[in-house]
Amino acid sequence: MNEPTRRHAAHPTAALQVHQPAPIVVRPAAPAIVQPHTVPSVASVVLPDGRIVTGYAIDPVQPARVAAKPVVSRAAVNIALGGVGFLAVCGGLLLLTTFIAALTALITQLITLAAVIFGGWIAVQVLSASGHRGGTTVYIRKAVIKRNRFHG
């Protein structure tokens, strides 16, 4: 079972070549001179063994900026503004009810004043002892009735 396999004459055995990878020694490369605010679109690096590696210059990935959380939440601000508005409305309603109560008291006092003045005027007219002011005067004499007849 563990015998070597026989090959046909048509397939000659080729010599095996084994490649051992050479260790890469990283040496600091000479700094590239880059003009301010310009980045080359393609960068090339020469390795110590003479090979050239070419690639695109990639900016380091910046983490996404986290929006600064406000000190006070929006809901708290909305509730506070609603409270201020409610207080303003309550103050206005209080003034409105006060105005209506004052107006009612004024109307009541005017009606009472008109009744007193008009009633006084009527009393003066009825009870006045001043002289005759016109109209019909009727003198009543002692009437004598005899046998169902009026003798005046």
Side-chain angles (χ1 to χ4, degrees):
M1 240 171 113
N2 290 332
E3 296 181 17
T5 309
R6 293 189 181 181
R7 294 194 175 251
H8 300 286
H11 297 289
T13 305
L16 294 174
Q17 294 180 352
V18 178
H19 295 282
Q20 295 293 332
I24 298 176
V25 180
V26 178
R27 293 185 186 134
I33 299 174
V34 178
Q35 296 295 330
H37 304 294
T38 60
V39 176
S41 58
V42 178
S44 297
V45 177
V46 179
L47 296 177
D49 60 354
R51 292 182 295 166
I52 298 175
V53 178
T54 304
Y56 293 99
I58 299 175
D59 293 331
V61 177
Q62 297 291 332
R65 298 188 78 183
V66 177
K69 194 170 187 179
V71 177
V72 180
S73 69
R74 293 264 184 207
V77 171
N78 290 338
I79 290 171
L81 289 176
V84 169
F86 182 74
L87 287 177
V89 168
C90 285
L93 288 176
L94 181 65
L95 290 176
L96 183 65
T97 54
T98 304
F99 175 74
I100 291 172
L103 188 63
T104 304
L106 176 68
I107 291 172
T108 304
Q109 288 177 357
L110 288 176
I111 291 172
T112 305
L113 180 65
V116 166
I117 290 174
F118 186 68
W121 181 77
I122 290 177
V124 167
Q125 293 301 316
V126 169
L127 299 176
S128 85
S130 63
H132 180 63
R133 292 189 180 184
T136 304
T137 303
V138 177
Y139 294 103
I140 300 175
R141 296 187 304 181
K142 195 181 211 184
V144 177
I145 299 175
K146 291 184 180 178
R147 295 189 188 150
N148 293 330
R149 290 196 181 170
F150 177 74
H151 299 282

